[in-house]
Amino acid sequence: MFFRYSEWDEQRHGGAPTTFEKLFELFQQLLQYTAGDAAEALHWMTQLDQRYGLTDEGMGLGDFIEELKKRGYLEQDAQGVIRITPRTEGTLRRRSLEEIFTRLRKGRQGRHKTPFAGQGDERLPETRAWQFGDDPHLLDVTGTLSNAFRRTGIDDWDLREDDFVVHETDHHTSVATVLMIDLSHSMVLYGEDRITPARKTALALAELIMTHYPKDTLDIVAFGNDAWEVSVKDLPYLNVGPYYTNTRAGLQRARDILRRRKNRNKQIFLITDGKPSCHFENGRMYRNAFGLDRRIVNKVLDEAVICRREGIVITTFMIARDPYLQDFVRRLTEANRGRAYYASLDELGTFLFEDYIRNRRKTVR
């Protein structure tokens, strides 16, 4: 056997990304930080190109923009405003999903399981007597034949309905999830960008559910002075505003949504820095910018208790390290008997995905 060695050819062996691929990767990253503002992302790229020489003779920044339009990632209206397209929105969701899955320390993809046996796809070693309507592929052939032999012996062997046994399976359940995202001004205070990882996590979770859990539902609720629903196509553009934090309104909106869902298992994922600072009383806003006002906090805790009574588990993802704020999250969790994670910004997606994928409910109502 002979081997022929030659100089490494990047293009031939596909080892090096093209200039477009490198620029597109950077463009997607910048879109995460600009809340989907294509013009601002391209402006940043221009500055980076001038400083670090990102482009080459084969593709300048103008060529890159034209290629984005040609491939359907950008569009320009009659006034010359450049926007990303639905294709780009889908790319951002997939990219966010891949990024978070790459960082998962544990867990695997799969359906949400409960400790109950029933209709499902994964066989268990345990068996039971066959019942009319059971799937034939679950038949335990060895156990069935053994039953027949024990009953009749070898010489006069026959097979009856009572001999048949089938494997048990995991009971698979669907989950209705509402993801609440805090868009109050505190999410960008003190030089810490908390909204970008929250937005990225929402994009990834939406993609996960649409591609891996089609029977699950995901609704997004953004909250600031009030609360409102956000569609999947609007996720890349979520951004903070000059808002207070009306956590109570967010929980109320989430409960209203889950009440309409037919899924047996219902949960709320709450991404916040943990500082409720306003609510509505008799149609008027009561606010306290310092946060954790007793009048406001008690109303939020009341909502947590109502969620518990309605079988809705609240999982809070706390992205601030202030012990005073963390104490509020602990009280919220106790009132709901839910769960809480105190995650750093770069761990938010990992924590949320681990909880979602490995979620197991002890009761099915």
Side-chain angles (χ1 to χ4, degrees), residues 170-195:
D170 280 333
H171 178 80
H172 293 160
T173 184
S174 62
V175 179
T177 301
V178 173
L179 179 60
M180 287 176 52
I181 300 181
D182 187 347
L183 297 187
S184 63
H185 186 58
S186 60
M187 292 286 280
V188 292
L189 279 180
Y190 316 116
E192 189 171 57
D193 178 9
R194 300 166 183 169
I195 186 57

Side-chain angles (χ1 to χ4, degrees), residues 20-136:
F20 175 82
E21 291 170 341
K22 290 187 290 186
L23 292 175
F24 188 50
E25 175 69 16
L26 176 60
F27 181 60
Q28 291 177 86
Q29 292 183 33
L30 293 176
L31 285 174
Q32 297 280 12
Y33 290 96
T34 64
D37 189 329
E40 185 177 0
L42 291 171
H43 177 67
W44 287 6
M45 288 189 70
T46 301
Q47 294 180 319
L48 291 171
D49 185 34
Q50 293 172 352
R51 185 167 182 176
Y52 299 105
L54 303 176
T55 58
D56 54 32
E57 294 181 358
M59 175 169 285
L61 202 55
D63 299 322
F64 172 67
I65 295 174
E66 290 304 315
E67 188 68 19
L68 288 175
K69 294 178 182 177
K70 181 179 178 181
R71 299 192 186 194
Y73 292 114
L74 280 184
E75 60 185 9
Q76 191 169 5
D77 62 19
Q79 287 72 38
V81 178
I82 296 178
R83 297 187 179 89
I84 62 175
T85 64
R87 183 179 184 184
T88 310
E89 295 167 2
T91 300
L92 291 176
R93 291 197 304 270
R94 290 188 293 274
R95 185 181 185 279
S96 299
L97 177 61
E98 292 169 1
E99 179 181 333
I100 290 177
F101 258 115
T102 299
R103 299 179 57 188
L104 280 176
R105 298 187 299 273
K106 299 179 182 178
R108 63 179 177 83
Q109 297 182 24
R111 290 188 175 89
H112 311 285
K113 299 178 184 177
T114 73
F116 300 94
Q119 296 297 317
D121 295 333
E122 185 174 338
R123 284 189 181 189
L124 298 175
E126 294 80 8
T127 60
R128 60 172 173 79
W130 176 84
Q131 298 174 357
F132 180 78
D134 283 334
D135 194 327

